[in-house]
Amino acid sequence: MSERKASGGAGRATIRDVAERAGVSVASVSRVLSGNYPVSDELRRRVMKVVRDLDYVTNAHARSLAGGGTPTVAILINNITGAAFAHVAKGVEGAASLRGWLSLVGTTGDDPERELALVNLMRQQGVAAVVLLGGAYDFDEYQLRMARFARSLDAAGSHLVLVGRPPLEGDVAATTVDYDNEGGAYAMASHLLSAGHRRVLVLPGHSELTTAQGRLRGARRAFEAYGVPFDPGMVLHGPYDYGHGYDAVEESLRRELDFTAVLAGTDVVAAGAMHALRGAGLRVPEDISIVGYDDIPLASQLTPQLTTVHVPYEEMGRAALRAVADRREGGAGRRGGGDGAHLVLGTHVVVRNSVQPPARRS
Amino acid sequence: MSERKASGGAGRATIRDVAERAGVSVASVSRVLSGNYPVSDELRRRVMKVVRDLDYVTNAHARSLAGGGTPTVAILINNITGAAFAHVAKGVEGAASLRGWLSLVGTTGDDPERELALVNLMRQQGVAAVVLLGGAYDFDEYQLRMARFARSLDAAGSHLVLVGRPPLEGDVAATTVDYDNEGGAYAMASHLLSAGHRRVLVLPGHSELTTAQGRLRGARRAFEAYGVPFDPGMVLHGPYDYGHGYDAVEESLRRELDFTAVLAGTDVVAAGAMHALRGAGLRVPEDISIVGYDDIPLASQLTPQLTTVHVPYEEMGRAALRAVADRREGGAGRRGGGDGAHLVLGTHVVVRNSVQPPARRS
DNA sequence: GTAACGATGGGATACGGTTTCCGCACCGGC
DNA sequence: GCCGGTGCGGAAACCGTATCCCATCGTTAC
């Protein structure tokens, strides 16, 4: 029995305890466990028995300190609630655990300061990559800060992956996994226009959010393509939530805005909008058509089922992790910025039951 | 310049690099950074400047190896998608980061083997606690395995927390945070019964899932209390998803089962059921009433808004972390099993628009 | 004026593994 | 029978940080 520590008591068994009890050296135990060195069957058997008896597990901190260790990927998100996030996270986590990697999550709560602190924390943890989810803010200072993060992470042998937002400007060592946001909005708006709608209430989201900007741009382009004048007065900005959809429609109704369709920036916004329309005695889609964006499960669970834009969120998560893993395997010497890969996945309209040609107005 | 490593190049700066460059000892740098030892202003200034210049961050692995380090809590869940989970996770993560703790997540995908492997992995990571989310399976072997996990974790100075499932049998060192599952079901069924419904289709969930068992038990008790015979033929088991709700109702309709209300095991199941009813030309709640369970955002976004049972998921997450944190601060000497705390949070019915007295049958 | 003391900084060691470098023993070949 | 090769196990040097113990210096008290 060791005199350093009562091996049967509390606390964690060390590799030394195992070695002592098995009557072998520490090095041998390590070799048996990692299996990257030839050991005799006899030794292996003896060591493994003690490992089981003591219920020994290696200390991950010590292991990573010594060079080994399982890679970890950090997922940063403003709000862990929210179906779109969940699917990206599922993709990342799934792909990570498939390779034996770990996933850390942190929430930023829309607070840039907190985001900064978290990235730093993750850097301390020595994560293989930091995956930043969701639309970015279009402030100069924000962009600069993010670029500094990217460099900093890169210098530490880690990597920044931006998911669902446009790439950073300049020569920054960050990978971007994005979807065709504007194209989806274009297609969605075109669908509405080709059904005959001309007066459309547009709820793109917060005006500083890059996602919202892209969706608005796509919609406007579609109007131009159809030769329909785009009325800025029909655009209401606000957060991506149920309440905003509800409030925006209610206010538009109160102000007697003339519209036959609602182009919502998000399925959840669409749900809120739908509720407000119903509350005002309007039928969907008979009186007003409505479309969403994201194609989260909610979209097909509403009544009527929502026509929306499908975004391959889970696949984006997988792609993000794949990018990091490839980079880590392939490029041992290509450090130093400048190789910001940029992936763009496609989107497409999912036609369901929330759109009809506009009714003749009374 | 150091001869061990080019300090300006790639790789991570160590505390030694900082010490060297600042012309002080390693110990001093450590003290300046941790701030738990008196240092002169002059020293602090010199060190901090170099820290900024080198963009130095401490190595978390080394730090935790040496005794310090930020605690980490592991969250294990079968499926990261799913609103109920998201809220618990939000609670855990929020409370964790409030204290400066980190959150690891892993998904088990309903695979007991994977769950085992994950718990072991987390044990290696030296997490402060493992939080297991969701209903447990009512197999003996499963219970035994979980008890072994609990012991194992406890021996390593960690702790197992079970959220949303009944406590383990016997004298196991695991904390349980649960909600009044059966009571909620009782109240929900009572609501239906007091509205006059007598023939109720019950979709409790998978029969081996403890959650489903509790909900079924609560419903049955309510029927007894109202003196209404409970017909086992009206109970359809299945997974907690949209498809099951849809299929169950469709089949019941096809088999011409006589019912005026649906008691769904989950809001999502209710959504599926509602869709199937609509597809058959039935109105909700005029023809058929329907209630859910969980009170996820979806419940209030459906049309009609769903009457359901509110479960304080986020608060449960917070409570779980609080339990761990308290235990870690308070009880340095109370290790060794036997103190399985058990918290039960209340539930209540949220009345919305999906229930009406039964229509007179044709 | 000197001894005791408080405030700081430095050196050394521990934390728990991995890995390199060595040595020992055993084997076959000449 | 001696020598070189091979296979396997041990000792020790790290990995990067926190902290204990001691040295030093300037003060304060007697």
Side-chain angles (χ1 to χ4, degrees), chain A residues 120-156:
Chain A
N120 236 27
L121 196 59
M122 296 313 172
R123 200 146 67 92
Q124 290 183 22
Q125 299 293 321
V127 296
V130 175
V131 178
L132 220 43
L133 260 47
Y137 289 96
D138 192 13
F139 305 144
D140 271 3
E141 192 219 328
Y142 186 88
Q143 289 271 329
L144 282 178
R145 190 210 306 274
M146 203 52 69
R148 213 175 52 227
F149 284 175
R151 250 192 311 278
S152 175
L153 245 19
D154 191 71

Side-chain angles (χ1 to χ4, degrees), chain A residues 148-230:
Chain A
R148 213 175 52 227
F149 284 175
R151 250 192 311 278
S152 175
L153 245 19
D154 191 71
S158 184
H159 193 62
L160 182 66
V161 183
L162 270 23
V163 174
R165 55 173 74 179
L168 291 172
E169 293 163 20
D171 201 29
V172 183
T175 299
T176 303
V177 177
D178 205 358
Y179 54 95
D180 185 10
N181 187 25
E182 187 173 335
Y186 180 90
M188 191 74 267
S190 298
H191 180 73
L192 237 32
L193 288 161
S194 73
H197 293 276
R198 289 299 175 266
R199 305 284 308 164
V200 178
L201 186 64
V202 182
L203 313 176
H206 259 139
S207 56
E208 313 89 17
L209 211 54
T210 53
T211 313
Q213 294 169 357
R215 293 180 187 185
L216 182 55
R217 221 167 24 240
R220 187 179 288 137
R221 264 188 35 222
F223 274 74
E224 282 168 15
Y226 274 73
V228 177
F230 188 83

Side-chain angles (χ1 to χ4, degrees), chain A residues 14-83:
Chain A
T14 75
I15 198 172
R16 217 141 26 202
D17 297 333
V18 176
E20 205 166 316
R21 183 138 162 187
V24 300
S25 82
V26 172
S28 299
V29 177
S30 172
R31 289 199 268 250
V32 167
L33 291 177
S34 51
N36 50 11
Y37 193 85
V39 275
S40 68
D41 284 350
E42 160 64 10
L43 179 69
R44 168 171 295 109
R45 210 160 351 94
R46 270 217 311 228
V47 169
M48 290 312 287
K49 170 156 183 9
V50 176
V51 164
R52 268 189 300 273
D53 286 355
L54 258 46
D55 197 22
Y56 166 81
V57 289
T58 71
N59 181 321
H61 296 303
R63 185 205 285 263
S64 31
L65 186 55
T70 62
T72 302
V73 55
I75 309 178
L76 261 40
I77 177 73
N78 352 32
N79 183 2
I80 199 171
T81 307

